[in-house]
Amino acid sequence: MDEAPFSRCGWCEVDPEYQRYHDEEWGVPQRDDQRLFEKVCLEGFQCGLSWITILKRRDAFRECFAQFDPLRLAEYSASDIERLMRDARIIRNRAKIEAAIHNAGRMRCLMDEHVSLGELLWQFKPERDLAFAYADEIPAITDESRRMSKELKRRGWKFVGPTTCYALMQATGIVNDHVVGCWRYPIIQAMRE
């Protein structure tokens, strides 16, 4: 991958796939319900693991989980779960697999209620943006991620703790946690305004 015109956030400096994700996806404001649903599921699978582990398996996850179409995924059966548990291309954690299928049912309920997942998640955008010079200043949990987690859990979602919700907020542009010296920071900030 070509060098970025300026410096990047330090977490992605080693792996070219990580760099591409950082340069093209991470922090870009996302409001599409199906894409957000995919992010919720993948962030759930990431619990306890590094994001690169999920990123390198993302295509396989999409294939195995019906492209994260909640209507199709909600119909998965016990035999589908067993099939997924045998698929070495994904994270074979039964609780996480079952949570993704369960959350597809929760997503279907939102759809039936004509509630946009994007609107639901974006209501937790902080009132004011924070800017960080160093990665170690960035929190893992915020008041907003706690409230998002609480609301999703109230609606029956699983694997949506406050740390997972904050990672979701970062990935989908609800917050801009590119460090201010990163070349993507002003670009993402402009997209969010």
Side-chain angles (χ1 to χ4, degrees):
M1 173 168 250
D2 294 334
E3 286 292 315
F6 307 105
S7 64
R8 293 184 175 100
C9 298
W11 55 263
C12 69
E13 288 298 332
V14 179
D15 188 284
E17 193 166 354
Y18 235 4
Q19 290 174 357
R20 188 212 54 78
Y21 176 72
H22 170 274
D23 293 355
E24 298 173 14
E25 291 183 58
W26 193 70
V28 173
Q30 181 59 255
R31 294 181 184 268
D32 178 80
D33 284 357
Q34 187 164 337
R35 296 295 306 240
L36 286 167
F37 174 69
E38 174 182 320
K39 280 291 198 187
V40 171
C41 292
L42 292 177
E43 292 293 350
F45 274 100
Q46 188 268 333
C47 288
L49 303 169
S50 68
W51 179 248
I52 193 66
T53 301
I54 303 305
L55 188 59
K56 289 183 178 285
R57 291 170 171 81
R58 185 166 60 172
D59 289 339
F61 273 110
R62 287 173 173 163
E63 180 185 328
C64 292
F65 287 84
Q67 302 299 316
F68 292 100
D69 176 340
L71 298 178
R72 290 174 52 208
L73 185 54
E75 298 299 321
Y76 274 28
S77 66
S79 63
D80 291 308
I81 293 169
E82 294 310 315
R83 174 180 50 81
L84 293 169
M85 286 296 294
R86 291 187 302 271
D87 197 321
R89 299 174 302 152
I90 63 168
I91 305 303
R92 294 175 290 177
N93 178 301
R94 184 177 298 276
K96 292 177 181 183
I97 290 169
E98 289 174 349
I101 295 165
H102 172 84
N103 288 346
R106 301 292 85 215
M107 181 67 180
R108 187 168 58 185
C109 288
L110 288 181
M111 296 165 74
D112 290 346
E113 296 166 8
H114 305 287
V115 174
S116 163
L117 181 61
E119 289 176 14
L120 176 66
L121 298 178
W122 275 83
Q123 72 178 315
F124 299 101
K125 179 183 180 288
E127 287 185 25
R128 67 183 187 90
D129 290 326
L130 300 177
F132 302 101
Y134 303 100
D136 61 1
E137 299 173 337
I138 300 171
I141 296 173
T142 62
D143 289 342
E144 293 85 4
S145 75
R146 284 185 185 96
R147 289 197 306 273
M148 179 187 286
S149 172
K150 185 176 179 180
E151 177 61 18
L152 288 170
K153 287 178 179 180
R154 184 186 73 76
R155 291 175 177 268
W157 292 62
K158 296 181 179 180
F159 275 89
V160 288
T163 303
T164 298
C165 284
Y166 195 67
L168 175 69
M169 294 169 77
Q170 293 173 306
T172 60
I174 297 172
V175 297
N176 181 5
D177 276 353
H178 286 277
V179 294
V180 293
C182 175
W183 72 277
R184 289 291 285 171
Y185 177 83
I187 295 167
I188 297 299
Q189 200 59 25
M191 290 179 179
R192 298 175 68 250
E193 295 171 355

